[in-house]
Amino acid sequence: MTFVTKARAAAAVLAAAVMSSVCAQTAEEKIAALTGGKEARVGVAWIAGGRAHTAGNDGCYPLMSVFKLHGATALLRQMERSGTPVDTMIRIERRLMTEDTYTPMLERHEEDCFEISLDSLIHYSVSESDNNACDMIIAMAGGIEGVNAEMQAIGLTDFRLSETEGSMQADPVRSYNNCSTPLSVATLFRKLYEEDILGGPYAAMLKSALTSTVTGPDKIKAALAPGMTLAHKTGTGFTMPDGTKTADNDAGVITLPDGRRIYIAVLITDTRLGNKANAALIAEIAGTVIADEQRADK
């Protein structure tokens, strides 16, 4: 064997070893490599096949609009207990709403007073991330205290809620007060789909709203292959004077073509990456998780 032949053989062995090492990486290790060195703090959690996985799950990440899922769940639990129908009509007075905020609901209703159904209010808050709809839901649920009580009743832990959309708009720093571990968010989705925290039409309404989410097409949704579906809630933070964005989030349930579900939460905080890079990172993380779960089933 010539020196050149030996060198080529050694190179081939080294390449095979490198490939084997890459293939042997866990999804958690791959995600750590993706997020390492980034100008952001990234937390990821997913639950699949009865197993929970995390990367950067320590600490409390600002939820931003992801907490609209907590609020909607709380109100619907109360409505179910009281027997209030999902199509109950709700009167809204514009003078009590905040005009200078993200509110598709007010853009479509120019009247001083108007009525919409409960399911429409949930849709505005969850699917379209309307801030006025969110704060109405919180108020109807008994305030933030009422939302916290319902979350505690279903056994959710490792989260903290004390703010409304209105209070966060008034002082963006307060958005850090509504926070959670990624695993807690993924757990809330699992409870919605696998436990009886909501029944019948109330669960169906919330799942429909999550499936109809229009925000974040470049986040988790961008990682889906044909035949996969997503029900999710996004959250977008404030850009502070120094250019740091408080949060950029996406969380939900991915249903694979064979019916298996992945409950996933990707929460990014204190990021200086930029909106497109944040979204691309979330999509890449979701793609890594999907590939790992599909490979694990083979």
Side-chain angles (χ1 to χ4, degrees), residues 91-97 109-114:
R91 181 180 174 82
I92 297 175
E93 297 184 46
R94 180 177 285 271
R95 66 182 179 84
L96 301 177
M97 300 292 103
H109 294 273
E110 298 180 355
E111 314 94 305
D112 290 336
C113 295
F114 57 93

Side-chain angles (χ1 to χ4, degrees), residues 209-233:
L210 290 163
T211 303
S212 302
T213 291
V214 298
T215 56
D218 53 353
K219 294 181 178 180
I220 293 175
K221 186 172 286 188
L224 302 186
M228 298 180 187
T229 61
L230 175 67
H232 68 131
K233 185 72 199 80

Side-chain angles (χ1 to χ4, degrees), residues 36 38 48 53 64 88 133 147 161 175 189 208 223 228 241 265 280 282 289:
K38 293 283 194 300
H53 309 261
M64 302 314 302
T88 295
V147 176
L161 299 178
S175 64
F189 275 95
S208 175
M228 298 180 187
I282 291 173
V289 169

Side-chain angles (χ1 to χ4, degrees), residues 57 59-60 63 70 148 150-161 179-188 190-191:
N57 190 59
C60 211
L63 286 166
H70 300 66
N148 277 314
E150 292 295 341
M151 294 301 99
Q152 292 162 6
I154 64 174
L156 194 68
T157 60
D158 298 326
F159 74 98
R160 184 175 68 239
L161 299 178
C179 63
S180 172
T181 64
L183 184 57
S184 178
V185 178
T187 298
L188 179 54
R190 184 192 61 75
K191 286 178 177 292

